[in-house]
Amino acid sequence: MKDFWKLNEIYTGFEDKKFSDDMHKLSEEGDEIRIFCLNLPNYKDKTAAVEEYIGLNEKFELLYSKLFSYASFRFSYCIKDEQAAREISKINGVKNSLNESKARFASFIDDREIRGLINSGRFKDYTFYLSNILEKKKESLSPDGEGMLSCLELTGSLAWQKLQAKTVAAAFAKKQKVMELSDFKEKRKADFLFEKEVCKDVEDICAACLNSIKGEAIYVSRKRGFSSPLEQSLAEYHFDKDILNNLIGSIEKYLVDMQQYYKLKARALGYYNEKLPYFERTTPIFDVRIPMDFDSAREIILNSFKAFSKNMYDYGRSFFDSGYIDWEIRSFKESGDSCDGIPALKQSRIRTHFSNTVSSANTLAHELGHGYHNLNLFTQGILNYRYDLPVAETASKFSEILFKKELAKELGEEGKLFSMDFELSGYINTLIDILSRFYFEKQVFDEREKGELSSSRLNEIMKEAQIKAYGESIDPDFTGDFMWVNKPHYYSAKRGFYNFPYAFGAVISIKLFEMMKKEPDTFACKYDLFLSSTGKYAVADLFKLLNMDLFSEDFFVSPLEYISGLVKKLSYNLKNNQVC
């Protein structure tokens, strides 16, 4: 088998004896944890019990992440890889079977005693890990209940999630895309209608998947004592509701300014009613053809990393040379882009779909930002190798800023307006579209609680959400009302509301860039420490490392003011006919 992604560095195949041995070892290590937790009542020394539990879980998680990474990489390379799908189910089955044991351990540990151990500094490196167990204890079911939910999840939400991914990928692979058109505007419209047609073909299947997943999420959140899946997601992400309300409220206050950008774009692209079709959101205002093959993207990205820090540059150069990036476009490759770490090997792998455009180069920079985050986390133990979703998009969005600033330098004065537009497009497409996705998912949960939603109703909710977010700047006849069908973020029972973290990451990345400009000599070191610490703190506490107060009412103002200022600047240049 071809050694794509250099996966042979993990295993040479599912038939590899190392893989089968590790699968057997994973089951054994799972049994060790189960037996240990069953015998917990016999432990008199709580400190020794906690130490042993941590040690057993470190061993298990390190091996689990290695096995799961390999199987998921195989599946994402080709979603028709049935063996990979089966192995993922087996590996997840072993991990899920431990939820009952986790519940036993949570019942065993006494809040007061463990708080005492934490405060004594005995488990300094595991303070957040243990505190999190105590917090989750409040929402846990009985050990038997946790075990039952874990088993049902495999044939419930995880199975529906897999069906959606395979259905959408197969539908796009089957349909013949429209032939190349010489008129770029007509080509964009044709591609949009093609995507809509494919989604229409599978919308009923995807609606069944979505209804089942959201139904499960509602049921489980209630069982765990949450008022809603949103409340559970916030707890899971260690993200305070007040911070979320402040974030959403701040974006809504600046919506009119950001919508003005789309009106400017509509006029520049020849839509004189100032209503932009959804498919034109990412179209550059300025018709500048910038050659951007993979090697050109590599050079600009590396230059942007070099301008930031030697550590980031060395990492980027090594990553490009490693062969760990799957960037080709092909049928049956999993949709979306990702960067996933393998802690056991201290490596990452990137999946992207590079199309020789500035946009795809920016996406590559985004995923490399995740990889740099992983690199810093590799300095931690596996139980601290984690980050909450809002933080997950911080490093990637910051990496985008570095790329865009370097691109602006490369293009010089002649491409200044293109650079300004490209930067604005990234921010506003993220903030407004993410807001529409947040509205959509919230409404879906509200209505799903009363019964199943048809595909036509889901289309209506998506259209309503987009019009609410985009306002009068979007053409109501050309909304992306079908976008729920092929967006994988909606199809996870455990990761509900996988939307606002992107908005948070976008505005935080601007705050980080502001800080970098103020502290050019010291910021890079602070940034590395920040990234390496993301598994040890709740979100608000993590940002205290950078002296940022997320609870401040005006915290999100400066990034949104920056974006608003760019819109006004672009508007001024367009009115004065300063067009490239």
Side-chain angles (χ1 to χ4, degrees):
M1 175 174 204
K2 178 186 174 187
D3 186 16
F4 56 84
W5 251 344
K6 293 195 176 176
L7 294 186
N8 284 349
E9 293 180 10
I10 313 174
Y11 301 107
T12 58
F14 292 123
E15 67 287 345
D16 185 349
K17 188 174 184 301
K18 289 180 183 176
F19 181 84
S20 56
D21 286 350
D22 279 351
M23 283 292 288
H24 182 68
K25 189 177 177 185
L26 187 74
S27 294
E28 288 183 335
E29 291 180 359
D31 288 340
E32 278 188 73
I33 293 173
R34 268 187 291 277
I35 293 167
F36 167 79
C37 289
L38 285 170
N39 290 326
L40 279 171
N42 300 324
Y43 277 78
K44 303 302 179 189
D45 186 343
K46 290 276 177 91
T47 303
V50 171
E51 284 179 338
E52 187 170 349
Y53 183 76
I54 287 173
L56 289 171
N57 276 276
E58 281 184 323
K59 267 199 318 177
F60 179 86
E61 290 293 337
L62 203 60
L63 185 57
Y64 164 80
S65 69
K66 182 182 177 185
L67 287 161
F68 179 78
S69 293
Y70 180 75
S72 62
F73 291 148
R74 284 279 301 264
F75 181 78
S76 65
Y77 187 85
C78 176
I79 56 95
K80 292 186 77 175
D81 190 333
E82 295 293 342
Q83 189 175 4
R86 287 194 298 272
E87 297 299 339
I88 289 171
S89 292
K90 287 183 198 172
I91 296 163
N92 278 332
V94 177
K95 185 177 175 70
N96 278 21
S97 69
L98 295 180
N99 285 351
E100 183 177 340
S101 299
K102 290 178 182 177
R104 290 187 190 282
F105 181 75
S107 298
F108 166 75
I109 59 175
D110 178 83
D111 289 25
R112 183 180 55 79
E113 288 177 328
I114 297 301
R115 295 279 180 208
L117 286 173
I118 290 171
N119 293 335
S120 72
R122 180 68 181 268
F123 295 99
K124 186 179 178 183
D125 285 341
Y126 301 97
T127 296
F128 186 72
Y129 175 74
L130 292 172
S131 298
N132 201 36
I133 290 176
L134 293 179
E135 286 301 311
K136 282 190 171 292
K137 186 175 178 180
K138 300 171 187 174
E139 65 193 60
S140 293
L141 308 181
S142 68
D144 286 345
E146 290 294 339
M148 181 185 68
L149 278 183
S150 297
C151 291
L152 291 175
E153 181 186 44
L154 293 173
T155 53
S157 57
L158 290 176
W160 288 110
Q161 187 178 26
K162 198 183 300 177
L163 175 62
Q164 183 272 341
K166 291 175 71 174
T167 298
V168 169
F172 274 94
K174 256 191 245 179
K175 280 270 187 185
Q176 181 141 12
K177 202 166 186 181
V178 67
M179 293 177 63
E180 288 294 326
L181 298 170
S182 56
D183 186 298
F184 287 106
K185 184 185 285 189
E186 286 303 312
K187 176 70 167 63
R188 292 191 294 269
K189 182 178 178 180
D191 286 345
F192 171 80
L193 293 175
F194 166 79
E195 185 177 2
K196 184 170 186 173
E197 182 185 346
V198 175
C199 288
K200 184 73 178 171
D201 288 346
V202 297
E203 65 179 5
D204 288 337
I205 297 174
C206 292
C209 296
L210 193 65
N211 273 291
S212 300
I213 290 168
K214 297 308 185 192
E216 180 182 311
I218 291 168
Y219 175 79
V220 172
S221 68
R222 290 284 189 268
K223 279 290 183 184
R224 295 196 182 285
F226 293 104
S227 62
S228 68
L230 176 58
E231 186 182 27
Q232 183 176 358
S233 292
L234 290 170
E236 189 67 31
Y237 302 160
H238 303 99
F239 199 77
D240 195 276
K241 187 177 182 180
D242 289 339
I243 300 173
L244 175 64
N245 290 339
N246 189 13
L247 172 66
I248 298 297
S250 298
I251 293 171
E252 288 174 335
K253 285 177 187 175
Y254 285 84
L255 264 184
V256 173
D257 287 356
M258 290 190 283
Q259 290 165 359
Q260 182 61 26
Y261 167 73
Y262 287 126
K263 291 182 178 182
L264 291 172
K265 180 176 283 194
R267 285 191 63 81
L269 297 179
Y271 301 98
Y272 297 110
N273 61 355
E274 295 190 345
K275 293 187 182 298
L276 193 70
Y278 188 81
F279 61 83
E280 298 282 29
R281 294 171 309 115
T282 59
T283 305
I285 289 178
F286 304 103
D287 188 16
V288 180
R289 299 280 182 265
I290 298 175
M292 188 62 67
D293 58 20
F294 191 80
D295 288 338
S296 300
R298 178 186 189 277
E299 183 178 358
I300 295 174
I301 290 170
L302 287 181
N303 286 341
S304 74
F305 288 179
K306 192 173 189 178
F308 176 65
S309 76
K310 183 179 185 301
N311 285 351
M312 200 166 186
Y313 171 71
D314 288 344
Y315 145 79
R317 186 181 57 184
S318 173
F319 207 108
F320 274 111
D321 292 344
S322 67
Y324 296 158
I325 303 174
D326 173 15
W327 51 274
E328 70 176 351
I329 297 172
R330 62 179 182 274
S331 296
F332 298 109
K333 178 178 180 177
E334 189 174 7
S335 62
D337 309 281
S338 70
C339 177
D340 297 287
I342 316 162
L345 277 66
K346 299 190 185 304
Q347 297 174 358
S348 296
R349 298 293 191 276
I350 285 175
R351 180 184 76 250
T352 187
H353 303 71
F354 196 84
S355 57
N356 293 322
T357 62
V358 171
S359 179
S360 57
N362 183 69
T363 299
L364 181 56
H366 176 105
E367 298 306 334
L368 284 162
H370 284 305
Y372 189 64
H373 193 168
N374 291 342
L375 180 73
N376 282 278
L377 279 171
F378 291 149
T379 63
Q380 303 293 323
I382 184 68
L383 297 183
N384 290 323
Y385 177 85
R386 56 167 294 284
Y387 39 70
D388 293 310
L389 282 180
V391 178
E393 297 307 327
T394 300
S396 53
K397 288 292 182 183
F398 181 69
S399 185
E400 283 187 41
I401 289 185
L402 296 178
F403 168 76
K404 286 169 183 171
K405 298 299 181 184
E406 185 64 30
L407 177 68
K409 277 182 6 188
E410 291 277 336
L411 296 179
E413 191 66 26
E414 186 180 341
K416 185 172 70 173
L417 291 181
F418 173 87
S419 300
M420 190 189 307
D421 174 43
F422 186 61
E423 184 178 5
L424 264 176
S425 182
Y427 291 136
I428 294 178
N429 286 333
T430 295
L431 295 178
I432 292 189
D433 209 52
I434 286 301
L435 185 63
S436 74
R437 294 184 207 179
F438 179 77
Y439 290 153
F440 168 78
E441 192 159 13
K442 195 166 183 304
Q443 187 66 27
V444 167
F445 272 122
D446 288 346
E447 294 193 22
R448 178 64 184 89
E449 204 155 6
K450 300 165 190 171
E452 291 200 4
L453 289 80
S454 65
S455 57
S456 59
R457 179 56 190 148
L458 289 166
N459 288 334
E460 288 171 0
I461 296 173
M462 179 60 87
K463 183 171 183 174
E464 290 163 4
Q466 288 182 354
I467 289 175
K468 183 177 178 182
Y470 286 86
E472 295 182 357
S473 68
I474 195 170
D475 186 339
D477 294 329
F478 284 98
T479 61
D481 57 352
F482 58 90
M483 295 304 292
W484 61 271
V485 174
N486 62 341
K487 181 58 67 177
H489 290 169
Y490 297 125
Y491 296 86
S492 172
K494 284 189 172 178
R495 286 189 166 186
F497 292 94
Y498 194 171
N499 36 56
F500 69 80
Y502 285 93
F504 180 77
V507 293
I508 282 291
S509 65
I510 299 174
K511 297 284 283 191
L512 291 174
F513 192 75
E514 290 171 352
M515 188 175 178
M516 184 192 80
K517 288 194 294 185
K518 289 178 184 174
E519 305 175 26
D521 297 328
T522 59
F523 178 73
C525 289
K526 289 181 180 179
Y527 182 65
D528 288 355
L529 175 63
F530 167 81
L531 294 181
S532 68
S533 304
T534 52
K536 294 182 174 181
Y537 299 93
V539 176
D541 292 333
L542 175 67
F543 279 90
K544 288 178 183 176
L545 296 177
L546 298 174
N547 296 316
M548 292 185 182
D549 180 10
L550 299 188
F551 291 100
S552 171
E553 285 187 11
D554 63 351
F555 180 80
F556 299 110
V557 170
S558 64
L560 291 163
E561 280 288 343
Y562 173 75
I563 294 169
S564 177
L566 276 181
V567 174
K568 289 167 185 170
K569 193 173 178 181
L570 183 64
S571 176
Y572 173 82
N573 281 287
L574 286 172
K575 284 177 182 175
N576 287 276
N577 296 317
Q578 295 184 28
V579 180
C580 295

